[in-house]
């Protein structure tokens, strides 16, 4: 689960990671009132849960209250990658002398949390990693000890010449690690971590902030779970989550209902391979309850792009006749008239076939058969 | 010979009195698995389908000589269940439980280093050595004793592909679900190594998916160490970036872990890539 | 550093370990007023930093206010093993059905913290360990993971038949472990951990509480360091600590000033071996500063039992002439007239010998020689 | 041959710019120790007595090929210094620092398991292989190259006993202060093992004290594994219970770790027990 920059910054401040002086505003009026306690120039930053707001014009610097007003007006309500901007962060600007990157994430290959640092901050770190991997410094964080000061020091002296800055860096990375472990994160990131001067002393400050939590661990952190912004999520995905379905909306026209994540992806791939376009990923899990089937069909068909549906079930514990019955019930209750192809194989597949004989549902024998039939139904 | 589990497997079911635990205990016993004990704290002294229930794994092992364990307890309690089985020196732990926080798994794997216990999973469908033993939730009907080793990050997709192998008459030596989580105890390479050494196994099928680099590491390993023919399938070619596709581990994060990269790695390693599950039959027929 | 039962109990309550309803009182008046909010029978417990208060009559049960008054009067001011009782803990009594022991300490051999449990609670656990070691259950606590619930469960089912009691036990031991690690303890102990019934439900409660902190880690826990009761400590030892000397008072009459703990103990042993009685352990450490020497001599000679002093120095980094000079200065400043034998060997030993030639100090060549001379001086 | 340190020891001094660090660097260099580097964060680029100072151990090792380290930083920073040296794959760490919290040491030893680095100390006086190398604060004057191995939990008491061995002409192969703390990296048994295998060492002196059971374990080991003659001294026969005698580790806690028990264990193991430091000369003369 992602949270907004301003929320992440608040967590940073609680962990003694320095940030700019800043305030969140939900409206123009609020922005104007908030600006009174800040010193110009002020940067106005769109708060959205996707990257690329800068390029979209979601970050602008105001040198006075008039500019601020016009920036806030233009940013609030802006659409960035499908998300509407509903709040802006107003932050005092600093004179940035250099930009660094520092983040902590899980390295699957190393089976560990890692601290990633780079002198190439302010840029897309993934791109840096691909084009100039030598600019990326990676440190494995021992899971039982946490990040040790010497580890930050090893990195710090590669980034900075100044012992005070290294100590700054040690403190920031240590606190970042505490956030990562305390709150079960999958990512905490400062990009850019900016170098600036106050009274001739060089200091580091978090100019941006990103925190992503491990969904599986949110039950341990109810206060973090409460930060979830349901409004920013795809409504159909929210609905699916409620029904205990794993659903991801895509752009195609062939809806799919599958049991199992791997099989669901394979089904999408096969649709594409045979010239179709999958409308979604949907894993109904191990259960074959009619309620789940109904919720799945309802979510699928609410997507107006969907023109046909493929049901692909490998029944092991799941019984195919249960699925068939659930499907028929869902179609009736939800008044579904779309062409549906069902491929139900495994436990009680013959019973399922019999159940569907007199229905408008087309029965398919294999995955490939099902995919071909659903594409034919669509184009037919 | 099969790998990991066979007729000598003596299984303890952790979380035997739960809904899934009791149901699959019955399924496994019907398949012929020697389920010797169950563990549910507080239920010690009772039994499930004639299987004695103990309060602790240690007790269960002392009384029944269990050497393997399957974990059905909810994610919240699963780490403690794993530690308990490791502490009791169980040889093989198969963790079915899904939803264990990633950092808990990182700790568990660090703890396991140097220990003799092997962990499969979490979020695994389990293991089956057809005709000999089943430790997991895989449906018996998809499998038959034979000569193809199958290792997979997925559940139903595995059944799907295995069922074609079964139908074609080749059958499987052992089928392993290594689990759909980002951090898991046993990976592709571990299984490939075992299959390479296993006499019963004549060919191997790897079923991968987007996320991580386990498939790439498998490809590297195959180039250097494998002589048996290997077939590969990768799910998620149409999956968008940064979206978790059901499994916690099936996510293209930071542009890494795409199906394209994995298929390329497979091809480079001389793995026969299949693009539709039913293709496996044809491809296998070329080498068997 | 030890703390009092009532202080340990407060920490217990902060960590959700159940204790009796109880209150501390520093005077009879306070005790009477505190008793108003408690239900009789009330147990009056002397608060002292040594064991064996029960045998000394420092724990008494009062069934009414009159008994309470007389018990408090008898216990306050009581002397237990040299310590004066200055406060009493008043606690509501429970009907104890069984007594257990549970404690966490460092096992040096296992190089780890261990959880020790026993069904033989309420007794001296060290004695139980010697006479019936099979009654002691020891669990190694993995230092990176802390105590895992399954570990407590393994022990719990050996102590209790009842799953609720086991869960009680898991919670108590888990919290005890948190105290141990959070506060860098060298011992946390509940003895007895009592079993009693409330509304027909069996429960566990900490009837006594003991916490000892690791002196070396107190700098991390200033709030715990603040619990130190200097008044209860041997004044000479407090004074020594201030002067950065390591000093332990004993009953003998030969004072010793030594550099190094091992050599100091060996010096004591040698005095005893040759028929004398060491008055103290004293390690002045690696430094040979005249101030330290003076502080050491002052502390030693303040002990009226001390009739002669042996100075035993192996000078490596420490220079013998420095020590000799410090010694002469200390004698003069503190007006010391006791017989002193100095054995100064190592760096600059000849200069030291020369310095002491015209002083009343007897010079010795070896440890044994020094010990013999100081005993001779004493016996005169 | 000596053990642990010799003419091939290349030493990095962690905390070289501190009072003790710089003083003993000079002392060690005067003795002939190859002090190749120092580390003090923030002082990188400077030098102490001509020894280059680095910001990190990793850097120091890369530039100077240091293989051993001595730690003089204050207790509060010593654990990090130890972890840093382990991470840089230094072979031998001698920790002079005193006052490290016990639970920190427990963690460090757990972390060290399976690593190739050996830790001596903390609260150690160091090691000397007379004539070859000195890594510690031991005064050179007490030692001379020879054939007796000495291992001790103490500092000055070791110098005292060694000086008799030196004076008698036997000299020492290596003298090791293992440290006065309750939890230490290298114990008596580790050193006995090395001495038994060392050709230069013909007899061994163990200097123990109250607290713990390290002496008892040494006695057990000697019964089973040692052929060379062993002499033992135990300090603290007159120490009262439950009082810390200077060293954090020198305490009779819970009635355990008394001098009496240790002397008995020594006698049972056939160790020649000495009761006065100067006795060592006579006793040694019986076997050498």
């Amino acid at each position: 689960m992602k949270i907004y920059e301003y929320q992440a910054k608040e967590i940073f401040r609680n962990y003694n990671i320095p940030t700019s002086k800043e305030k969140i505003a939900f409206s123009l009026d609020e922005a104007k009132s908030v600006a009174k306690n800040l010193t110009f120039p002020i940067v106005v930053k769109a708060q959205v849960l996707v990257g690329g707001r800068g390029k979209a014009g979601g970050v602008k610097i105001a040198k006075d209250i008039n500019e601020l007003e016009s920036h806030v007006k233009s940013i609030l309500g802006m659409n960035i990658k499908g998300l509407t901007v509903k709040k802006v962060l107003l932050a005092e600007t600093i004179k940035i002398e250099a930009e660094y990157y520092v983040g902590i994430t899980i390295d699957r290959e190393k089976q560990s949390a890692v601290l990633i640092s780079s002198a190439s901050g302010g840029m897309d770190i993934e791109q840096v990693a691909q084009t100039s991997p030598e600019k990326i410094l990676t440190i494995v964080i021992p899971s039982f000890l946490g990040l040790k000061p010497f580890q930050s020091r090893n990195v710090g002296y590669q980034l900075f010449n100044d012992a005070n800055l290294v100590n700054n860096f040690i403190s920031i990375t240590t606190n970042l690690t505490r956030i990562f472990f305390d709150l079960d994160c999958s990512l905490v990131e400062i990009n850019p971590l900016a170098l600036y001067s106050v009274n001739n002393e060089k200091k580091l400050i978090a100019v941006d902030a990103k925190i992503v939590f491990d969904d599986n661990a949110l039950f341990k952190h109810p206060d973090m779970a409460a930060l979830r912004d349901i409004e920013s999520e795809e409504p159909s995905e929210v609905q699916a989550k409620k029904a205990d379905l794993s659903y991801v909306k895509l752009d195609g026209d062939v809806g799919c209902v599958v049991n199992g994540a791997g099989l669901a992806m394979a089904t999408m791939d096969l649709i594409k391979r045979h010239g179709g376009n999958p409308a979604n990923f949907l894993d109904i899990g191990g259960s074959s309850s009619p309620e789940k089937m109904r919720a799945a069909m309802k979510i699928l068909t609410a997507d107006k792009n969907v023109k046909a549906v493929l049901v692909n079930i490998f029944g092991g514990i799941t019984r195919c006749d249960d699925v068939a019955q659930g499907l028929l019930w869902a179609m009736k209750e939800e008044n579904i008239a779309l062409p549906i192809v069902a491929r139900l194989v495994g436990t009680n597949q013959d019973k399922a076939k019999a159940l569907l004989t007199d229905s408008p549902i087309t029965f398919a024998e294999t995955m490939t058969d099902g995919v071909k039939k659903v594409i034919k139904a669509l184009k037919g | 010979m099969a790998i990991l589990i066979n007729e000598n497997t003596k299984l303890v079911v952790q979380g035997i009195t739960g809904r899934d635990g009791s149901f699959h205990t019955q399924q496994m016993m019907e398949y012929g698995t020697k389920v010797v004990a169950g563990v549910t704290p507080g239920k010690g002294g009772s039994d499930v389908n004639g299987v004695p229930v103990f309060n602790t794994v240690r007790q269960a092992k002392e009384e029944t000589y269990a050497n393997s364990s399957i974990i059905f307890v909810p994610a919240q309690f699963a780490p403690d269940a794993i530690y308990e089985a490791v502490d009791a020196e169980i040889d093989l732990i198969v963790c079915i439980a899904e939803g264990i926080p990633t950092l808990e798994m990182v700790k568990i794997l660090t703890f396991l280093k140097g220990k003799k216990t092997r962990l499969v999973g979490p979020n695994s469908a389990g293991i089956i050595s057809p005709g000999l033993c089943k430790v997991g939730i895989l449906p018996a009907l998809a499998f038959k004793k034979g000569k193809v080793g199958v290792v997979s990050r997925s559940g139903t997709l595995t059944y799907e592909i295995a069922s074609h192998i079964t139908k074609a008459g080749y059958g499987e030596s052992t089928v392993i679900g290594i689990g759909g989580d980002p951090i898991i105890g046993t990976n592709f390479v571990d299984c490939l190594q075992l299959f390479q050494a296993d006499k019963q196994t004549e060919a191997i099928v790897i079923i991968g998916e987007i996320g991580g680099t386990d498939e790439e590491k498998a490809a590297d390993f195959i180039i250097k160490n494998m002589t048996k023919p290997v077939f590969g399938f990768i799910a998620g070619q149409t999956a968008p970036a940064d979206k978790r596709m059901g499994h916690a581990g099936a996510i293209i994060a930071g542009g890494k872990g795409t199906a394209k990269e994995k298929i390329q790695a497979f091809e480079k390693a001389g793995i026969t890539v299949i693009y539709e599950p039913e293709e496996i039959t044809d491809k296998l027929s070329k080498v068997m």
Side-chain angles (χ1 to χ4, degrees), chain A, chain B:
Chain A
M1 188 190 88
K2 292 176 188 168
I3 57 172
Y4 290 101
E5 176 194 3
Y6 79 96
Q7 294 168 326
K9 288 263 190 76
E10 204 162 309
I11 295 172
F12 277 18
R13 287 186 289 269
N14 288 341
Y15 278 85
N16 291 320
I17 295 173
T19 70
S20 343
K21 197 178 169 195
E22 58 191 26
K23 260 302 204 197
I24 187 75
F26 291 76
S27 66
L28 178 60
D29 283 351
E30 207 179 339
K32 287 197 286 189
S33 121
V34 155
K36 283 178 193 151
N37 295 316
L38 298 172
T39 309
F40 284 96
I42 290 171
V43 60
V44 182
K45 299 161 98 177
Q47 297 293 289
V48 271
L49 294 178
V50 286
R53 64 181 173 185
K55 280 186 195 158
V59 179
K60 285 180 176 166
I61 292 174
K63 63 174 186 300
D64 56 32
I65 189 74
N66 293 332
E67 272 193 19
L68 185 112
E69 212 175 311
S70 90
H71 290 344
V72 171
K73 270 186 194 161
S74 78
I75 293 176
L76 272 180
M78 178 183 266
N79 186 304
I80 301 180
K81 294 188 183 168
L83 292 172
T84 306
V85 179
K86 293 180 176 161
K87 35 203 167 189
V88 288
L89 184 62
L90 308 189
E92 290 187 1
T93 53
I94 46 164
K95 200 164 165 290
I96 296 178
E97 297 171 24
E99 294 186 328
Y100 301 87
Y101 172 94
V102 58
I104 300 172
T105 185
I106 296 286
D107 186 315
R108 290 167 65 157
E109 206 167 320
K110 300 196 167 78
Q111 300 186 325
S112 179
V114 289
L115 174 78
I116 296 167
S117 316
S118 175
S120 300
M123 304 155 69
D124 180 1
I125 194 70
E126 285 139 15
Q127 211 160 317
V128 177
Q130 270 176 2
T131 56
S132 336
E134 76 287 353
K135 286 184 182 161
I136 304 276
L137 306 169
T138 303
I139 288 278
V140 170
I141 303 175
S143 60
F144 288 136
L145 292 171
L147 185 74
K148 289 280 140 189
F150 84 84
Q151 297 186 293
S152 299
R153 210 180 297 125
N154 276 339
V155 176
Y157 278 107
Q158 292 180 66
L159 297 177
F160 312 102
N161 283 322
D162 177 330
N164 283 332
L165 281 178
V166 172
N167 287 336
N168 245 245
F169 183 75
I170 293 173
S171 149
I172 288 170
T173 49
T174 303
N175 290 325
L176 216 54
T177 309
R178 284 174 54 224
I179 294 175
F180 191 85
F181 285 91
D182 284 1
L183 304 179
D184 282 278
C185 300
S186 42
L187 177 71
V188 279
E189 187 180 89
I190 308 178
N191 189 20
L193 174 71
L195 174 62
Y196 74 115
S197 299
V198 221
N199 308 328
N200 279 324
E201 198 191 338
K202 289 188 189 301
K203 287 195 168 181
L204 296 173
I205 189 170
V207 168
D208 199 352
K210 192 170 170 187
I211 295 182
V212 183
F213 297 108
D214 178 356
D215 291 342
N216 285 342
L218 275 176
F219 76 93
K220 288 200 246 170
H221 312 289
D223 42 340
M224 295 301 130
L227 298 179
R228 181 175 168 206
D229 181 12
I230 291 185
E231 281 180 35
S232 74
E233 297 177 24
E234 174 60 44
S236 56
E237 292 181 10
V238 173
Q239 223 179 315
K241 208 179 267 177
K242 269 187 204 154
D244 201 20
L245 300 168
S246 191
Y247 171 83
V248 176
K249 198 186 166 324
L250 303 172
D251 300 329
D253 47 11
V254 182
C256 8
V257 179
V258 191
N259 67 331
L263 192 60
M265 282 189 278
T267 305
M268 287 157 51
D269 294 351
L270 212 57
I271 290 169
K272 185 88 179 175
R273 185 171 161 82
H274 286 274
N277 270 308
N280 64 280
F281 165 90
L282 197 160
D283 172 11
I284 59 165
S287 154
S288 52
S289 88
E291 287 73 21
K292 260 192 163 174
M293 208 59 193
R294 181 175 171 183
M297 293 303 288
K298 191 175 169 180
I299 289 164
L300 275 201
T301 52
D303 177 356
K304 289 307 155 210
N305 289 336
V306 172
K307 298 288 182 274
V309 175
L310 172 62
V311 178
N312 184 20
I313 301 292
F314 195 102
I317 314 316
T318 309
R319 291 178 0 179
C320 292
D321 53 336
D322 279 358
V323 174
Q325 237 150 3
L327 186 56
L328 290 171
W329 178 68
M331 286 175 68
K332 197 180 137 205
E333 295 291 321
E334 299 293 335
N335 272 319
I336 298 170
L338 292 176
I340 298 180
V341 176
R343 185 265 185 160
L344 306 170
V345 75
T347 313
N348 293 357
Q349 59 183 40
D350 295 334
K351 281 190 191 171
K353 195 171 182 178
L355 275 166
L356 299 184
T357 311
D358 296 328
S359 79
I361 296 172
T362 308
F363 202 82
E365 296 294 335
T366 67
M367 254 178 93
T368 303
D369 183 33
V371 167
K372 284 179 180 165
K373 279 182 175 157
V374 78
I375 291 172
K376 197 181 157 204
L378 186 78
K379 297 193 171 155
Chain B
M1 264 311 299
I3 65 168
L4 295 173
I5 59 167
N6 55 38
E7 64 274 25
N8 299 320
T9 298
K10 289 181 165 185
L11 190 68
V12 52
V13 178
Q14 293 182 254
I16 194 170
T17 56
R19 202 184 53 122
D20 292 349
S22 60
F23 175 76
H24 288 290
T25 295
Q26 197 174 8
Q27 295 275 314
M28 291 188 287
M29 288 174 81
E30 278 171 17
Y31 195 77
T33 305
K34 286 170 191 141
V35 181
V36 296
V39 170
T40 298
K43 299 275 173 69
S46 64
D47 77 293
V48 169
N49 293 329
V51 176
V53 178
F54 298 90
N55 290 317
T56 68
V57 175
R58 193 166 276 277
Q59 239 180 315
K61 194 189 170 190
E62 272 166 19
E63 303 277 330
T64 68
Y65 303 101
N67 54 22
S68 303
S69 147
I70 186 165
I71 294 181
F72 280 109
V73 304
Q76 205 178 333
F77 306 109
D80 193 51
I82 295 174
Y83 288 121
E84 180 172 5
V86 177
D87 181 73
E89 297 183 20
I90 293 290
D91 299 326
L92 172 73
I93 303 172
V94 177
C95 184
I96 306 299
E98 179 181 356
I100 298 177
T102 305
L103 286 175
E104 288 280 1
M105 281 312 304
V106 167
K107 276 192 193 169
I108 287 170
L109 293 201
T110 309
F111 184 75
L112 270 171
K113 261 174 208 146
K115 303 266 189 320
K116 65 160 201 158
T117 300
R118 172 187 294 283
L119 170 68
V120 171
N123 195 5
S124 156
I127 311 174
I128 188 167
S129 293
L132 299 176
C133 184
K134 173 178 120 166
V135 176
I137 61 172
L138 312 93
L141 59 92
F143 310 96
K144 206 186 75 184
K145 187 166 184 174
K147 41 200 180 183
V148 181
V150 180
V151 57
S152 170
R153 284 168 66 188
S154 153
T156 45
L157 177 58
T158 315
Y159 319 157
E160 173 77 34
I161 293 176
S163 69
H164 293 290
I165 302 172
T166 299
K167 242 181 281 169
Y170 302 113
E172 304 83 27
S173 52
T174 300
V175 178
I176 309 152
I178 58 174
D181 276 4
I183 305 282
I184 50 178
T186 296
N187 56 29
F188 282 138
V189 168
D190 299 323
C191 298
L192 287 172
Q193 215 157 3
L194 294 171
F195 277 134
Q196 173 68 24
D198 174 48
K199 289 223 177 87
Q200 187 184 336
T201 305
E202 294 175 19
I204 296 124
V205 178
I206 302 182
I207 304 169
E209 61 188 31
I210 53 163
T213 55
D214 209 17
E215 289 80 3
E216 285 85 339
K217 284 167 84 179
D220 276 354
F221 179 83
I222 285 164
I223 293 175
K224 294 186 191 120
N225 304 286
M226 300 281 290
T227 56
K228 298 182 181 178
V230 182
F231 301 82
F233 182 92
I234 300 288
Q237 299 179 58
T238 50
D242 292 320
K243 280 281 188 180
R244 171 177 158 172
M245 306 303 278
H247 290 164
I251 182 164
I252 299 165
K256 282 203 297 195
T258 64
K260 203 178 151 192
E261 291 170 332
K262 289 173 192 295
I263 289 173
Q264 276 173 357
F266 273 7
E267 283 172 343
K268 216 178 120 191
I271 297 171
T272 307
V273 178
I274 60 168
Y275 293 91
E276 309 205 7
E278 58 188 59
E279 275 177 30
I280 188 66
T281 311
D282 258 13
K283 303 282 183 185
L284 274 174
S285 73
K286 306 240 159 73
V287 303
M288 303 195 81

